Amino acid sequence: MFDFSKFPDIFSRILMPAINETLYMSVVSTLLAFVIGLIPAVLLIISDKEGLKPNPKLYLILDIIINTLRSFPFIILIIVLIPVTRAIVGTSIGTTATIVPLTIGAAPFVARLIESAFKEVDKGIIEAAKSFGASNFQIIFRIMFVEALPSIISAFTLTLIVNIGFSAMAGAVGGGGLGAVAINYGYQRFRPDIMFYTVVILIIMVQIFQILGNLAYKYTKK
């Protein structure tokens, strides 16, 4: 049986700093992934065979690059990107360093989700915008982006939840956060109580973000 009387002390000393690190890694990497992933997503939707400016060669190149990056297991991606991470942040371990592989790993995933969201927009609205003389830029960011906003919010929520899981995985290679606590305290020091606490906190964290994402989706869907 766990001694829950020690939980307040464990939470303040160990778990709370780890929660802050996990939130920092997950939220920042998700925001950066959306900024980066939006660019190939727009290029994909434009160059698609039914896009605003079809370009099969460009679409094929982007398609191959995105599929290749998405196929990397996250642990391997962290190792492969060590030189890149060091060049950007000066180190390959720690919470800030983990943001680099988290961002690069999530960006192609985001690109696909945004592309799918754009493809769900009613073609009739796009054709109507063209007939009024709207430019491709206006169609994408003033019509397609607005119409696809609920789906994009769902994509953001999904990516954030995935990154929370990946950030926990990064704890195995010096990434910090709840994953590092689970390994360093729970597994290596044979503390099943700390392992249990980290799992419960991760579940609660995911549930909170999913609820907030659902509320934002419903609000934008009206």
Side-chain angles (χ1 to χ4, degrees), residues 157 161 164 199-215:
T157 305
I161 290 172
I164 289 173
V199 171
V200 171
I201 289 170
L202 284 169
I203 292 172
I204 293 172
M205 195 179 292
V206 167
Q207 291 297 323
I208 290 172
F209 282 121
Q210 186 63 65
I211 291 170
L212 292 175
N214 290 343
L215 290 173

Side-chain angles (χ1 to χ4, degrees), residues 173-192:
V173 288
L178 289 168
V181 168
I183 293 169
N184 297 335
Y185 289 89
Y187 177 72
Q188 294 179 352
R189 300 186 187 184
F190 304 102
R191 292 289 301 274

Side-chain angles (χ1 to χ4, degrees), residues 63-80:
D63 187 60
I64 292 173
I65 292 173
I66 290 172
N67 288 339
T68 300
L69 290 173
R70 286 179 64 194
S71 67
F72 273 87
F74 183 64
I75 288 290
I76 296 175
L77 187 65
I78 293 176
I79 297 169
V80 169

Side-chain angles (χ1 to χ4, degrees), residues 28-30 32-34 36-37 65-66 68-72 74 77-78 80-85 88 97-111 159 163 166:
V28 172
S29 62
T30 302
L32 291 174
F34 258 76
I36 295 171
I65 292 173
I66 290 172
T68 300
L69 290 173
R70 286 179 64 194
S71 67
F72 273 87
F74 183 64
L77 187 65
I78 293 176
V80 169
L81 291 175
I82 284 177
V84 178
T85 304
I88 294 174
T98 305
I99 290 173
V100 176
L102 278 173
T103 301
I104 295 175
F109 180 64
V110 168
T159 306
N163 272 353
F166 282 165

